[in-house]
Amino acid sequence: MKKNNMLRTMFLSLFTFLYVFVYAQTGSISGQVLDDVGQPVPFASVTVKGTSRGASADENGRYKLPGLSDGSYTIVVNAVGFTQMEKVVRVAGGEAVADFTIKRSAVDLTEAIVIGYGTARKRDLTGAVTAISSKDFNKGSITTPEQLVAGKVAGVSIISNDGQPGGGSAIRIRGGASLSVSNDPLIVIDGVPLENANGGSLSYSPNPLSLINPNDIESMNILKDASATAIYGSRASNGVIIITTKKGKGGKLNVNFSSQFTASDPYARVKVFGAEEYREMVNASGKNDYISQLGTANTDWQDQIYRTAFGTDNNINVSGGIKKLPYRLSLGYLNQGAILKTGYLERFSGALNINPRFFDDHLKVDLNLKATRTNSRYANKEAIGNSVSFDPTQPIYSGVPRFNGYTAYLDPGAATGLRGLAPKNPVAMLDLTRDIGSAKRFIGNVQLDYKLHFFPDLRLNLNLAYDGSLGWGTKIISDSLAGSDYYSYKDPVTGTMHGGSATEARQKKESKLLEFYLNYTKELEKIDSRIEFVAGYAYQDFLNTNNSFDPYTADGLVKSTYTYFIDYPQYILISYYGRLNYSYKGKYFLTGTVRRDGSSRFSPDNRWGIYPSGAFAWRLKDENFLKESNTVSDLKLRIGYGVTGQQDGLGNYDYVSYYQLSENTAQYQLGDKFYNMYRPGGYYPRRWEQTATTNIGLDFGFLNNRITGTIDAYYKKTKYLLNDASQAAGTNFVNRIVANIGDMENKGVELTLNTRPVENNNVTWDFGFNITYNENKITKLTIAPDSTYPGVIYGDIDGGTNNKVQIHSEGYQRGAFYVFQQVYDPQRGQPLENAFIDRNKDGLINDQDRYRYKGSDPSMFLGVNSSVTYKRFNAGFSMRANIGNYLYNNPFSSTGNWNTIYNKLGYLTNGSPNVLSTGFNGDQSNVYLSDYYVQNASFLRMDYINVGYDIGRIFKTASLRVNANCQNVFVITKYKGIDPENKDGVDRNFYPRPRIFTAGFSLSF
């Protein structure tokens, strides 16, 4: 608390000082730049014509030109996407106020788009690239960067992992390209490629992107096809997201302070019996052994573990220029409570960008520094499942000191006095588990771009970067938490019983980058052509330091003979790359790219991979038959093909032969004792996964670009797919190994449509729509054809013993459900227990009758967004939908049978009311593998609704804007569980996404 007060005091002091400093400026022209409907235009350039004096507007369009004497000046205003404006302003008495209203151009085809190793004009792009700027980001309580563009980009699926603050998202671009390794896109921030993988045994660090403050991001550009991504070679098969942070624009001092306040509501619940209904049902059963266990309380355990959580997000930034030294400094503080009690996320962030220019702008220096620290407490997620199954007639507290006063399932005949497999008190699980973690991250780079004085067509670019993170955490479970660990460990010396656990983790991750490239650009006026050539070299060194700690009991007793050790896994990536762009007459464009990557993760024989691509674009709009058209304002055809690779998600030394300590299930007997011995580990001389992508696209615009859009069709073929395969007997002592033995394909169509249906002096309405169809199919999973090989079975569920419900199979989509076909009562329409279709007609029901049914990936997903401005008011919404995705409802299956409610071990648990209609007993394990539990999870979700009002100028030099927002407004779905959106395909102990209400303001000077 003292630390939080200190931070708030620091913010207030800095804010007061800067206000007084700005307010004292005189001899100037100040005002606001607005668009033609009265909305602020952020970061507009305001200059005095004929001089070098200028300034950049802030986020609210406010500008100030200081140091002017009395007289008349011609002021020029420019902004990307707007037409230039000039106006004469007279300064009298040392001060003048002038507002500017500039007209918006529907689409600016000259806008610079950040691509790999440089920029390109929008009109010149040959690849599938989508650029989203800060003005188009999603609004509301945004804790991680990927949420800014969720639902905005065709072909890009962003699914938040759960409702935990900072919990991250699964990002899939065009379906992903792997089975056993990473499907995450490459993230590049200010020219620094990030390593996204987390590590460590504890959840001490949130997802890597949560360590980037979304408020510092200026734009996010998504590269989707191989023509656009091949320049990144071995890490580009899953697409590339390029993040550019905000920079100083020079000119006068600008200060912006924004604050948001949030309330998060846990509105979703798993359907179970209420206490009174449960009591009546058990009493009516006549089972006296169970009736005697009923309590007199009425406890809604889900209500007891969830709460309305509050949070705040505060950011202040200072930008401007000292002569030719533009700068931007920002500080941020986020404190977000979790709806699952005891959890929270706290983040401190800072960023400094300095962008000086030297030698008549021949040398550009970009210094980018970002530092973040997070402190988290992770609520025990297992409490979610226990809140569903714990007896609702029992009170939270037993009234006796044992187990810290919490109610527990008791068994006087057991050594611990507990029913070991019974549910644990969910409130006790939260209160008696302390899982805390901290993470620090620093990303810094300096980029030098020098345009040779004697040869200005050639630029030299040097990028030096360091990305370091340090995470640590401890997890302590009290020995008072009733469960299987309660006083279960015996001190081998004293014989004293101990319980609980204390676990510690620490990891340091470092990445060092050296990158140098040449950029040659030449206008060949005689042949009406333009060429641009990039050639470069990159060296990136990744080093982890993993600390392994001994496991302890809650009171500090070592529980094993393992010893503490430190591991230093490291790998190096070396790359050579080149790109050639050629344009003819400004309407025919060719792009060729090649990259050669070498990774130490592969054996010397397979270390290097070559990744080429080529693309062609034709601006049909500039042809004579369309040049004068008033209807068609833009039309461009794009065709591209390329090959990319995959090396993320692999172990650093998996190709090396090694020995490892055997597991407890593989011990050797010497005398009357059993010992763990060392045995050969599995290794395989892997090669790169490779994905070849063909893309054809059409960019269009109509009616002066009031209607714009893009349609793309693509085909992706992944070869040398890494798959989990069995080992032949005698070749190794491990049963399975990951090897290059598979192929997979993705094909689809994307459509993006943006329109401005209304535009006049008072009202502007923008409407956007995107839709994606993606079909995924595994075409090979074995070295040789094998009709007996079902595929890779995975997807653990609760219920039965070691049951799994998903499979990767040749000829089917990735992640199909592997289940029995349910038989239904023809009269009632209800499923018949343990009645399944004998699909192979052999008279038996066994694993040979399981079949591939549906899948967790949607066949179509879409996004809809809209914004309306009316004078100083604005409002907007964003929606997303998935179509064709299915989800296994594990709470429905694991608690929806009588043997769960009347447990055979002699205790009562709560269950799903679905059991009243099915009557399932749950006697056989096969019942949990029924396709009855695979449910249609297609949905339409209103992600957010926002409103805002620009109050305008206050205190003469300041402007104020207020806003309100609601996120996760509603979900329409047929799915019967808690939430239809789930990246894993199995709804199991799901941490519900909250509904978030936000109110905030932004104050600018």
Side-chain angles (χ1 to χ4, degrees):
M1 183 60 71
K2 290 182 179 179
K3 179 170 58 179
N4 293 351
N5 290 335
M6 184 179 299
L7 184 70
R8 295 188 183 99
T9 302
M10 181 185 68
F11 271 119
L12 182 60
S13 299
L14 180 61
F15 172 77
T16 303
F17 168 76
L18 293 171
Y19 169 71
V20 173
F21 179 77
V22 173
Y23 189 69
Q25 305 304 302
T26 59
S28 63
I29 299 174
S30 61
Q32 188 176 25
V33 181
L34 306 170
D35 63 17
D36 44 8
V37 293
Q39 292 301 304
V41 179
F43 312 118
S45 172
V46 184
T47 59
V48 180
K49 188 174 184 179
T51 73
S52 60
R53 188 180 300 278
S56 175
D58 63 13
E59 287 90 341
N60 290 303
R62 296 284 176 187
Y63 76 93
K64 188 173 186 178
L65 292 167
L68 299 176
S69 58
D70 287 357
S72 296
Y73 300 88
T74 300
I75 307 301
V76 181
V77 179
N78 284 288
V80 173
F82 293 84
T83 57
Q84 179 178 294
M85 181 186 181
E86 295 184 7
K87 186 166 70 173
V88 176
V89 180
R90 179 171 178 78
V91 178
E95 192 169 336
V97 176
D99 292 340
F100 291 85
T101 300
I102 56 179
K103 292 186 177 295
R104 185 185 296 270
S105 58
V107 173
D108 183 6
L109 296 178
T110 66
E111 179 184 354
I113 303 297
V114 178
I115 57 176
Y117 308 106
T119 61
R121 293 186 303 176
K122 198 170 187 177
R123 58 171 288 132
D124 298 348
L125 292 174
T126 58
V129 180
T130 299
I132 306 291
S133 64
S134 57
K135 65 183 179 64
D136 296 317
F137 286 162
N138 290 329
K139 310 297 189 297
S141 176
I142 306 295
T143 58
T144 55
E146 75 278 1
Q147 298 171 7
L148 295 170
V149 296
K152 294 279 189 178
V153 184
V156 180
S157 170
I158 299 176
I159 300 176
S160 60
N161 292 333
D162 54 28
Q164 178 175 287
S169 306
I171 308 173
R172 297 292 177 264
I173 298 178
R174 293 184 168 180
S178 297
L179 291 182
S180 302
V181 291
S182 174
N183 277 295
D184 297 328
L186 173 66
I187 308 293
V188 180
I189 179 165
D190 290 332
V192 182
L194 305 185
E195 185 184 30
N196 288 333
N198 273 335
S201 59
L202 292 184
S203 54
Y204 56 78
S205 174
N207 82 93
L209 279 179
S210 73
L211 294 170
I212 306 298
N213 188 342
N215 292 279
D216 289 330
I217 296 176
E218 176 63 29
S219 67
M220 296 179 68
N221 296 349
I222 294 91
L223 316 184
K224 296 186 285 188
D225 72 335
S227 169
T229 64
I231 194 70
Y232 289 105
S234 64
R235 292 185 284 176
S237 283
N238 297 306
V240 180
I241 298 178
I242 299 178
I243 298 176
T244 303
T245 60
K246 295 174 182 176
K247 308 292 192 296
K249 306 294 184 180
K252 73 178 183 68
L253 178 69
N254 293 291
V255 182
N256 179 267
F257 175 75
S258 63
S259 185
Q260 290 187 338
F261 306 92
T262 63
S264 302
D265 176 37
Y267 71 97
R269 297 285 193 278
V270 176
K271 294 181 180 178
V272 292
F273 289 107
E276 289 301 331
E277 183 182 14
Y278 185 79
R279 209 171 348 251
E280 292 176 5
M281 178 183 68
V282 174
N283 282 324
S285 70
K287 301 177 182 290
N288 293 327
D289 290 344
Y290 294 98
I291 294 173
S292 63
Q293 299 178 34
L294 288 171
T296 59
N298 294 286
T299 306
D300 187 326
W301 290 102
Q302 293 182 77
D303 270 352
Q304 296 302 319
I305 66 168
Y306 295 122
R307 66 182 177 185
T308 297
F310 298 96
T312 182
D313 188 6
N314 303 283
N315 293 274
I316 187 170
N317 66 76
V318 181
S319 63
I322 304 173
K323 293 184 178 180
K324 291 189 176 182
L325 182 65
Y327 63 87
R328 183 180 187 272
L329 172 66
S330 68
L331 297 172
Y333 174 69
L334 168 77
N335 192 320
Q336 180 62 61
I339 60 170
L340 189 58
K341 289 180 179 179
T342 72
Y344 66 85
L345 168 68
E346 183 181 45
R347 180 177 66 206
F348 303 86
S349 64
L352 174 65
N353 303 93
I354 302 176
N355 318 105
R357 303 294 183 259
F358 304 99
F359 310 128
D360 296 325
D361 287 342
H362 277 254
L363 175 61
K364 300 178 181 180
V365 179
D366 290 324
L367 176 66
N368 306 294
L369 305 175
K370 289 170 280 290
T372 312
R373 171 163 180 158
T374 62
N375 299 315
S376 302
R377 179 169 177 177
Y378 301 92
N380 191 336
K381 291 185 181 181
E382 293 183 10
I384 297 173
N386 283 266
S387 72
V388 172
S389 57
F390 208 90
D391 182 351
T393 68
Q394 303 299 325
I396 300 173
Y397 302 100
S398 64
V400 296
R402 195 179 185 195
F403 307 121
N404 222 42
Y406 291 98
T407 298
Y409 284 82
L410 303 179
D411 182 3
T416 62
L418 294 166
R419 296 188 184 275
L421 298 178
K424 299 177 184 178
N425 186 315
V427 178
M429 296 182 74
L430 296 174
D431 292 343
L432 301 180
T433 301
R434 184 169 178 79
D435 185 359
I436 58 174
S438 293
K440 296 189 294 186
R441 188 169 192 171
F442 172 81
I443 303 174
N445 74 305
V446 58
Q447 197 159 10
L448 308 176
D449 188 289
Y450 178 56
K451 181 171 63 175
L452 297 181
H453 281 76
F454 57 88
F455 191 15
D457 294 330
L458 181 65
R459 290 172 31 238
L460 313 180
N461 191 289
L462 174 65
N463 186 18
L464 301 174
Y466 176 80
D467 177 10
S469 61
L470 176 64
W472 62 96
T474 59
K475 183 176 182 179
I476 300 174
I477 301 177
S478 170
D479 55 11
S480 293
L481 178 58
S484 57
D485 288 333
Y486 182 76
Y487 291 155
S488 60
Y489 180 75
K490 186 177 182 179
D491 187 330
V493 177
T494 66
T496 304
M497 299 298 294
H498 298 258
S501 64
T503 315
E504 185 175 358
R506 180 184 177 94
Q507 183 185 56
K508 183 179 181 181
K509 300 169 73 71
E510 297 177 278
S511 167
K512 303 181 184 78
L513 172 71
L514 183 153
E515 195 155 39
F516 178 79
Y517 67 86
L518 306 173
N519 183 289
Y520 175 76
T521 304
K522 184 67 174 178
E523 299 285 348
L524 306 174
E525 297 179 358
K526 290 185 178 180
I527 57 175
D528 199 6
S529 298
R530 182 176 187 269
I531 61 171
E532 180 188 16
F533 177 70
V534 174
Y537 165 83
Y539 175 94
Q540 195 161 10
D541 182 353
F542 301 90
L543 173 65
N544 292 353
T545 303
N546 300 322
N547 298 66
S548 178
F549 295 88
D550 298 324
Y552 290 83
T553 61
D555 57 358
L557 179 70
V558 178
K559 293 177 67 175
S560 72
T561 57
Y562 294 142
T563 57
Y564 167 83
F565 69 90
I566 303 178
D567 185 26
Y568 299 95
Q570 180 181 24
Y571 74 96
I572 294 171
L573 187 65
I574 296 177
S575 308
Y576 305 89
Y577 54 86
R579 179 176 61 216
L580 176 65
N581 291 326
Y582 172 75
S583 67
Y584 177 65
K585 292 184 178 294
K587 55 185 177 182
Y588 307 108
F589 305 90
L590 287 172
T591 299
T593 303
V594 65
R595 181 163 179 141
R596 186 170 187 255
D597 277 336
S599 173
S600 63
R601 283 177 162 172
F602 296 91
S603 69
D605 293 337
N606 296 325
R607 184 148 290 171
W608 292 90
I610 297 178
Y611 305 99
S613 75
F616 167 75
W618 175 22
R619 283 193 54 79
L620 288 85
K621 169 59 183 174
D622 291 342
E623 298 292 352
N624 291 333
F625 60 88
L626 282 177
K627 203 167 189 178
E628 303 302 324
S629 172
N630 293 323
T631 302
V632 179
S633 46
D634 184 35
L635 192 64
K636 181 174 68 175
L637 176 68
R638 295 176 285 104
I639 301 174
Y641 173 83
V643 178
T644 51
Q646 169 68 292
Q647 63 98 44
D648 282 335
L650 294 172
N652 291 349
Y653 313 108
D654 286 349
Y655 67 90
V656 179
S657 175
Y658 65 97
Y659 280 78
Q660 66 181 12
L661 194 66
S662 66
E663 299 173 353
N664 289 336
T665 54
Q667 295 178 319
Y668 294 84
Q669 184 176 4
L670 294 176
D672 58 351
K673 294 184 178 181
F674 291 84
Y675 298 89
N676 295 81
M677 305 290 284
Y678 282 88
R679 62 177 182 174
Y683 69 98
Y684 179 80
R686 298 170 183 157
R687 60 175 301 173
W688 307 86
E689 286 188 349
Q690 292 187 0
T691 300
T693 303
T694 302
N695 191 94
I696 181 168
L698 188 69
D699 304 327
F700 56 85
F702 301 104
L703 304 177
N704 194 28
N705 284 333
R706 290 279 294 273
I707 303 172
T708 61
T710 296
I711 185 169
D712 281 275
Y714 60 87
Y715 175 77
K716 295 169 58 176
K717 179 73 173 181
T718 301
K719 296 167 50 178
Y720 314 120
L721 196 68
L722 288 164
N723 180 38
D724 185 39
S726 58
Q727 285 284 93
T731 59
N732 247 305
F733 286 100
V734 294
N735 296 324
R736 311 192 68 80
I737 199 166
V738 177
N740 295 101
I741 54 175
D743 296 342
M744 182 174 67
E745 64 182 25
N746 280 277
K747 55 186 176 182
V749 179
E750 303 166 354
L751 171 65
T752 300
L753 191 65
N754 295 300
T755 68
R756 178 166 287 179
V758 178
E759 184 178 31
N760 57 47
N761 291 333
N762 291 322
V763 180
T764 300
W765 175 25
D766 290 309
F767 181 83
F769 172 80
N770 67 80
I771 186 168
T772 303
Y773 169 79
N774 185 80
E775 180 181 311
N776 169 275
K777 185 178 181 180
I778 299 170
T779 55
K780 180 183 177 183
L781 271 185
T782 56
I783 297 176
D786 183 359
S787 59
T788 64
Y789 177 59
V792 181
I793 303 174
Y794 69 105
D796 292 330
I797 62 170
D798 295 325
T801 303
N802 197 30
N803 277 325
K804 303 176 187 296
V805 296
Q806 291 171 284
I807 192 169
H808 297 317
S809 291
E810 188 174 311
Y812 296 88
Q813 66 174 300
R814 175 183 56 198
F817 294 102
Y818 194 45
V819 288
F820 292 102
Q821 186 175 356
Q822 181 67 53
V823 174
Y824 292 83
D825 186 330
Q827 307 298 326
R828 299 172 55 243
Q830 292 295 330
L832 299 175
E833 185 169 16
N834 297 318
F836 304 108
I837 300 293
D838 182 8
R839 295 182 65 88
N840 65 354
K841 303 187 185 304
D842 64 353
L844 301 173
I845 299 297
N846 52 32
D847 274 353
Q848 310 308 314
D849 296 299
R850 294 170 73 176
Y851 76 116
R852 288 87 179 163
Y853 175 65
K854 305 296 183 181
S856 58
D857 293 334
S859 57
M860 296 178 67
F861 55 91
L862 59 90
V864 179
N865 58 86
S866 180
S867 63
V868 177
T869 60
Y870 173 71
K871 296 184 178 179
R872 292 179 178 270
F873 289 94
N874 72 280
F877 71 84
S878 178
M879 293 193 299
R880 287 181 302 113
N882 279 11
I883 301 172
N885 54 303
Y886 282 72
L887 190 58
Y888 180 86
N889 192 334
N890 204 179
F892 211 57
S893 65
S894 64
T895 66
N897 63 79
W898 293 119
N899 280 345
T900 297
I901 296 172
Y902 304 112
N903 194 280
K904 288 184 176 181
L905 296 179
Y907 56 85
L908 279 168
T909 63
N910 205 347
S912 169
N914 178 64
V915 70
L916 299 177
S917 57
T918 64
F920 282 1
N921 287 310
D923 290 325
Q924 297 185 21
S925 183
N926 284 352
V927 71
Y928 300 102
L929 301 177
S930 169
D931 62 9
Y932 171 68
Y933 297 115
V934 179
Q935 299 175 356
N936 187 342
S938 300
F939 67 86
L940 172 66
R941 184 188 297 275
M942 176 68 79
D943 272 336
Y944 74 80
I945 296 175
N946 70 279
V947 294
Y949 179 70
D950 186 4
I951 294 175
R953 189 173 302 170
I954 60 174
F955 308 129
K956 292 186 179 180
T957 59
S959 60
L960 178 65
R961 180 174 181 79
V962 295
N963 61 81
N965 181 285
C966 180
Q967 290 173 251
N968 197 14
V969 185
F970 63 78
V971 181
I972 299 174
T973 182
K974 291 182 178 179
Y975 181 63
K976 298 177 182 178
I978 194 170
D979 195 316
E981 194 170 7
N982 189 304
K983 66 182 180 66
D984 298 322
V986 175
D987 182 356
R988 183 188 186 200
N989 278 348
F990 185 75
Y991 193 139
R993 298 180 179 92
R995 179 180 289 127
I996 305 175
F997 300 92
T998 304
F1001 69 89
S1002 175
L1003 187 62
S1004 299
F1005 296 91

